[in-house]
Amino acid sequence: MSREVLRWSDEVDSVVRGDLTVAAAYPTPAGGAILSSLSPIGLADRESTRLSFTTSLGFPRKLEHILARPRVSLAYHTRDHGFAESDAFVLAQGRATVDLEPDSQRLAGIRQSIELFLGAPPSGPIWDRVLREYHQRRVFVDVDIERLTVWPDLAARGTAQVTGAPDPGTAPAQSPPKNGTAPRVDVPSLQRRIARLGHRLLAYEGADGLPVVVPVEISSFDEGGLHLDVTPGILPPGGRRAGLLAHRFEARCVGLSTRTFTGWLTVGDEGVMYAPHTAKSLSIPPNYSIMMLMNGLGSKIGVRRARRDGTVERLQALAQKV
């Protein structure tokens, strides 16, 4: 089957340039997928069909995952506090490259975008010192989009429009893990925490290795895990490793709360069940100064650790292999 030339519409351009927060997914060595939330600050090149985001060198774990398996998907799933003028759910899948040492011109070029989406960062002698690594040791992840899937609404209902690489078909079921598929975290406690987080997404590895991300709702739970509500037919049948993301955020990404999970997804005649195996959380209080202080100190400590333990050299070696 021939590949359709990938061109995105004005509607999609509004979404990829306007969403404050997206969900990024990348595969795991075992054939699952990890989800994280990030703010892409509108970094999109329509002509080259490239979407980008930045992160700090002080948070290298995400970069190591992406460099080792550079298949990345971005799900534009919420219009909260952004500028997009469409209700479409947009899934962009592609191959990532990492610019570990962006030049000064590229770093300077994102300042306006940062201020538009996240607000003007605090400044002054003390703040400049605190935020030095956060601003100057930024890394760009550039995703060359291979396939673009657009649903009419944020619940991914209706007929999806696919451009670029053709749909690879249904992903086959996976063999269960050796330690079993049952939940490994306290599901009732987990459900209580997730209930306050308005956005939930699920990610799994597609038939061509590119992560697939879809919106889900949690209808109930029991000892077997979380029962999910999802648009019929959007998930492949059988069992597989999958990631789950639940999050919420306020304007400028303050008041942010995120919970990410890995686990086992089962899709069958009795419904959709997710059994969480690992859980991580991040919360930032609704105070811009505190958020920037956490970002600055976290980046500073992370960069120093990365230099000390050889992370920088390891990332550079991985980047050369991509």
Side-chain angles (χ1 to χ4, degrees):
M1 184 181 296
S2 62
R3 171 174 173 165
E4 180 183 346
V5 176
L6 200 160
R7 294 285 186 270
W8 65 62
S9 65
D10 290 344
E11 178 188 31
V12 170
D13 199 57
S14 169
V15 170
V16 299
R17 293 184 186 277
D19 267 7
L20 174 61
T21 297
V22 305
Y26 40 93
T28 67
I34 296 175
L35 272 167
S36 64
S37 63
L38 56 89
S39 180
I41 58 173
L43 298 180
D45 188 333
R46 193 176 187 178
E47 186 66 26
S48 64
T49 61
R50 171 176 287 183
L51 300 173
S52 304
F53 60 89
T54 72
T55 185
S56 170
L57 189 61
F59 308 115
R61 189 69 183 272
K62 181 188 303 180
L63 295 171
E64 291 187 79
H65 279 292
I66 292 173
L67 285 168
R69 287 163 292 278
R71 293 163 290 181
V72 175
S73 297
L74 300 173
Y76 294 79
H77 65 288
T78 166
R79 305 293 102 93
D80 291 357
H81 313 295
F83 309 103
E85 299 176 352
S86 167
D87 290 330
F89 182 97
V90 177
L91 175 63
Q93 300 168 287
R95 305 279 168 165
T97 55
V98 178
D99 186 356
L100 289 169
E101 297 181 350
D103 57 36
S104 58
Q105 183 177 2
R106 190 173 195 191
L107 288 171
I110 66 168
R111 186 174 183 87
Q112 185 175 359
S113 295
I114 290 175
E115 292 186 3
L116 176 65
F117 284 90
L118 304 179
S123 61
I126 295 177
W127 275 112
D128 291 347
R129 182 178 179 86
V130 170
L131 296 174
R132 181 177 57 199
E133 286 80 3
Y134 179 72
H135 288 309
Q136 297 179 6
R137 297 298 291 169
R138 297 210 69 77
V139 173
F140 285 79
V141 179
D142 300 310
V143 185
D144 292 311
I145 304 306
E146 298 182 2
R147 181 185 302 113
L148 199 66
T149 307
V150 182
W151 284 271
D153 67 20
L154 293 175
R157 292 173 297 215
T159 302
Q161 295 183 346
V162 181
T163 56
D167 189 325
T170 302
Q174 297 176 339
S175 300
K178 294 180 180 179
N179 293 331
T181 62
R184 302 172 194 172
V185 298
D186 183 358
V187 174
S189 175
L190 177 68
Q191 165 62 11
R192 287 194 297 271
R193 292 180 172 89
I194 292 179
R196 298 189 293 268
L197 308 179
H199 302 289
R200 297 85 178 257
L201 299 114
L202 186 82
Y204 65 93
E205 188 176 77
D208 57 358
L210 293 170
V212 179
V213 185
V214 299
V216 299
E217 294 294 339
I218 299 171
S219 58
S220 62
F221 66 93
D222 55 33
E223 67 279 359
L226 303 171
H227 294 267
L228 304 182
D229 281 340
V230 62
T231 298
I234 205 171
L235 291 175
R240 69 195 67 251
R241 294 170 174 83
L244 181 70
L245 166 68
H247 72 123
R248 69 171 183 82
F249 56 93
E250 304 300 331
R252 300 191 299 175
C253 285
V254 299
L256 178 150
S257 183
T258 299
R259 292 188 177 273
T260 57
F261 310 91
T262 62
W264 185 258
L265 173 70
T266 303
V267 179
D269 295 337
E270 298 180 355
V272 180
M273 173 75 79
Y274 185 76
H277 292 169
T278 68
K280 293 183 179 180
S281 64
L282 171 67
S283 294
I284 297 177
N287 182 291
Y288 188 65
S289 295
I290 292 177
M291 181 183 76
M292 295 306 297
L293 182 64
M294 293 174 64
N295 288 338
L297 294 179
S299 295
K300 191 178 292 291
I301 293 170
V303 167
R304 291 177 179 175
R305 184 191 305 118
R307 289 171 176 164
R308 186 173 57 249
D309 65 10
T311 296
V312 173
E313 291 77 9
R314 187 164 61 252
L315 290 173
Q316 290 172 338
L318 284 170
Q320 292 175 357
K321 295 179 181 179
V322 176

